Amino acid sequence: MKTIIEPFRIKVVEPIRMTTREQREKILKNAGYNLFKISSDDVLIDLLTDSGTAAMSDAQWAGIMSGDESYAGARSFYRFRDKVQEITGFKHIIPTHQGRAAERILFGLLSRPGTYIPSNTHFDTTRANIEFQGGSAVDLVIPEAKDTQSLHPFKGNMDIVRLENFIQGVGADHIPLCMLTITNNSGGGQPVSMENIRQTKNVCQKYGIPLFLDACRFAENAWFIKLREPEFEHSDCKTISREMFSYADGCTMSAKKDALVNIGGFLAINDDELAMQARNVLIVTEGFPTYGGLAGRDLEAIAQGLEEVLHEDYLAYRIRTVEYIGEKIDRDGVPFLKPTGGHALYLDAARFAPHIPLPQFPGQAIACELYLEGGIRSCEIGSIMFGKTDAKTGKHIAPPLELVRLAFPRRVYTQSHFDYVAEVITEVYRNRENLKGYRFTYETPYLRHFTAEFEPVPS
Ligand code: P61
């Protein structure tokens, strides 16, 4: 087989800046050892997130010029709505400024104290929006998801037996909706199979519970279905996507991922009454229903991005990139979450730095060292992002996985960038015994990882 190449030519470039280790040590210290607080000018390769970091195509930039900025009824809205409907089939398409705005509207209407919202795994903004309204966010992913070495092809799957037991336990009346995150970001960008979506739908239907997809990486999920579920070997990804959405009653979407844009999102709903209520909230807090917090040009770019993201040469290159870097670091014995997922490589921090106790954040130690060693910015997805402190005992409650995510912006970096990233990871792994833990010096109650500050724990 020949090399799978980047299926684009580069028309515009943006320089990136090398710094010395000495400079980076100062920069990191000044940022309270929080990589979210570093200026992007001081980052060489930015793998903090794949969200809003895509390179847009020439056709998307052309859409930016031709966007219609009318307050009401802009033609860009209709293009956006029609494209979203073509892929999802949902009736009401409500634009929002990003994914969490769609979540806030949905859970503002449906989450309240005494309600439970099960999912394979909620991402942190989803969990935060549910809990902010007083409801409980419940993760019911299959057990293989918690084993970083299991090669299960669909580690994002919902545990169907646990879901049904859970519904029977708390009562369907207390469950306003069920969710599936495709792909499962907090669990390693792992896909959910079509079979599992169908089974989840069947259980939800049996108890009269609506099913919503958190669809930000729907195209990557569709590609995995094509690769790994024999029934879909000959289907195109648009057809697969349509079928995935056909089992759901609605979705939330951050367009900053698989719509290949830098800002945007939407909420899609079939239910007329719920859609009416959502539009009311939208008008009060986001904007008129035909723009919802976005400019007409953004809607135009989303419509174009949704078309491009389903091109199979793009998806083949996209998923291969992650697999390629996984193969490289595997040869050096670096522990990471297998099989590699859709949008990111996840280092297994607990195995990488087992000498650092979880309350001292091994993932943070690795993320900081990747920056110090090679100017690479990554993101801890472990005890800092999802861990909690027990209010009674003051003890640290660790999440199931302790990961460092290196997320790949779409169409931004080339193969040599990723070769460099693999070299830096390997170097940090070779010197892993020198890694030291961290502790908080400042912490906030919601999404604390954004603003927290740390200091190294003295040895
Ligand atoms: C990310 F550190 N993800 O992965 P919004 N659902 C899912 C997401 O992955 C997601 C959203 C909903 C981000 C950005 C991010 O603490 C963090 O458009 C599966 O970002 O509002 C976002 O979509 C929300 C990074 C978000 C974080 C929160 O990097």
Side-chain angles (χ1 to χ4, degrees):
M1 208 174 72
K2 296 202 178 64
T3 304
I4 296 176
I5 60 164
E6 290 89 357
F8 46 82
R9 305 191 282 190
I10 296 167
K11 204 179 267 200
V12 176
V13 295
E14 184 183 358
I16 49 178
R17 187 169 82 99
M18 293 274 188
T19 45
T20 62
R21 181 165 179 123
E22 208 184 359
Q23 287 170 325
R24 291 194 290 274
E25 274 165 5
K26 278 202 194 107
I27 292 164
L28 191 60
K29 191 165 181 220
N30 288 340
Y33 296 94
N34 185 341
L35 294 160
F36 280 96
K37 292 193 166 180
I38 288 180
S39 161
S40 63
D41 282 347
D42 296 326
V43 176
L44 183 66
I45 298 198
D46 204 344
L47 307 182
L48 183 71
T49 178
D50 64 321
S51 180
T53 52
M56 291 206 294
S57 67
D58 50 357
Q60 284 178 294
W61 281 109
I64 294 280
M65 264 325 286
S66 61
D68 175 359
E69 304 304 340
S70 304
Y71 192 94
R75 74 175 169 268
S76 299
F77 169 74
Y78 297 116
R79 190 173 168 222
F80 157 83
R81 184 200 61 187
D82 293 350
K83 181 53 70 184
V84 175
Q85 279 180 335
E86 182 190 324
I87 295 169
T88 67
F90 294 126
K91 191 168 170 196
H92 301 282
I93 312 299
I94 299 168
T96 59
H97 75 271
Q98 60 182 83
R100 72 196 73 179
E103 292 167 357
R104 185 183 53 78
I105 294 171
L106 183 67
F107 297 122
L109 295 169
L110 296 179
S111 169
R112 57 184 63 92
T115 60
Y116 298 86
I117 294 146
S119 175
N120 48 352
T121 314
H122 291 286
F123 192 58
D124 67 344
T125 55
T126 325
R127 173 172 286 279
N129 271 296
I130 292 169
E131 291 176 351
F132 193 69
Q133 303 293 341
S136 302
V138 182
D139 295 339
L140 297 174
V141 73
I142 55 168
E144 287 85 344
K146 289 167 193 151
D147 171 5
T148 58
Q149 303 309 297
S150 156
L151 294 177
H152 191 293
F154 290 102
K155 278 167 97 171
N157 280 356
M158 176 77 92
D159 187 329
I160 301 296
V161 174
R162 276 173 73 211
L163 174 65
E164 187 151 17
N165 288 342
F166 181 79
I167 297 172
Q168 288 174 353
V170 302
D173 291 353
H174 295 100
I175 305 181
L177 77 159
C178 173
M179 290 198 86
L180 275 175
T181 312
I182 56 169
T183 59
N184 190 19
N185 187 7
S186 332
Q190 299 292 319
V192 179
S193 71
M194 192 73 86
E195 189 196 9
N196 190 258
I197 300 177
R198 288 177 188 145
Q199 290 169 338
T200 306
K201 172 68 182 174
N202 286 343
V203 172
C204 287
Q205 210 161 27
K206 183 167 158 193
Y207 295 93
I209 298 168
L211 174 64
F212 273 65
L213 300 181
D214 176 342
C216 17
R217 299 181 179 87
F218 75 95
E220 290 168 7
N221 201 81
W223 181 249
F224 280 117
I225 287 178
K226 184 180 170 83
L227 289 185
R228 298 183 184 169
E229 233 170 326
E231 182 188 340
F232 296 96
E233 199 182 338
H234 302 296
S235 307
D236 65 76
C237 285
K238 194 179 278 183
T239 309
I240 296 174
S241 299
R242 279 196 65 96
E243 183 171 342
M244 294 184 322
F245 286 111
S246 75
Y247 300 117
D249 301 282
C251 76
T252 54
M253 171 84 186
S254 167
K256 299 171 75 171
K257 285 85 173 172
D258 270 353
L260 299 172
V261 291
N262 306 120
I263 194 71
F266 57 85
L267 173 63
I269 297 176
N270 278 339
D271 184 278
D272 295 335
E273 173 64 24
L274 186 63
M276 188 273 284
Q277 291 173 1
R279 282 204 181 97
N280 278 343
V281 182
L282 185 85
I283 290 175
V284 176
T285 61
E286 287 270 305
F288 189 74
T290 61
Y291 73 86
L294 292 170
R297 55 180 173 267
D298 299 325
L299 296 168
E300 202 68 43
I302 293 173
Q304 180 62 28
L306 285 172
E307 183 61 36
E308 293 174 13
V309 79
L310 289 166
H311 291 178
E312 298 198 352
D313 47 2
Y314 161 76
L315 285 167
Y317 134 81
R318 171 85 180 146
I319 303 304
R320 175 62 195 150
T321 308
V322 189
E323 192 182 48
Y324 169 79
I325 186 166
E327 284 169 7
K328 283 199 132 198
I329 62 167
D330 204 21
R331 280 182 224 128
D332 296 311
V334 180
F336 64 96
L337 193 152
K338 294 179 181 173
T340 43
H343 64 293
L345 177 82
Y346 293 69
L347 299 177
D348 183 346
R351 283 170 191 251
F352 195 116
H355 62 287
I356 302 179
L358 300 186
Q360 289 182 17
F361 313 128
Q364 182 69 3
I366 297 165
C368 286
E369 191 55 30
L370 289 172
Y371 178 69
L372 294 174
E373 177 64 31
I376 296 168
R377 177 152 68 169
S378 57
C379 182
E380 193 264 12
I381 299 206
S383 279
I384 294 176
M385 193 182 276
F386 288 112
K388 291 210 163 119
T389 308
D390 188 308
K392 281 190 201 129
T393 63
K395 276 206 168 147
H396 176 73
I397 309 168
L401 294 175
E402 212 59 53
L403 304 169
V404 176
R405 186 184 73 172
L406 294 100
F408 298 1
R410 293 168 178 76
R411 306 190 291 207
V412 169
Y413 295 113
T414 64
Q415 185 168 337
S416 73
H417 290 116
F418 287 113
D419 287 335
Y420 171 84
V421 170
E423 286 162 19
V424 172
I425 295 173
T426 301
E427 188 59 24
V428 171
Y429 184 62
R430 256 190 229 123
N431 299 320
R432 61 192 176 279
E433 266 141 43
N434 301 331
L435 292 170
K436 302 237 160 45
Y438 284 83
R439 65 184 172 211
F440 280 114
T441 54
Y442 172 72
E443 177 187 2
T444 52
Y446 285 96
L447 303 176
R448 61 183 182 176
H449 56 288
F450 284 137
T451 48
E453 294 191 2
F454 304 88
E455 63 185 8
V457 178
S459 40

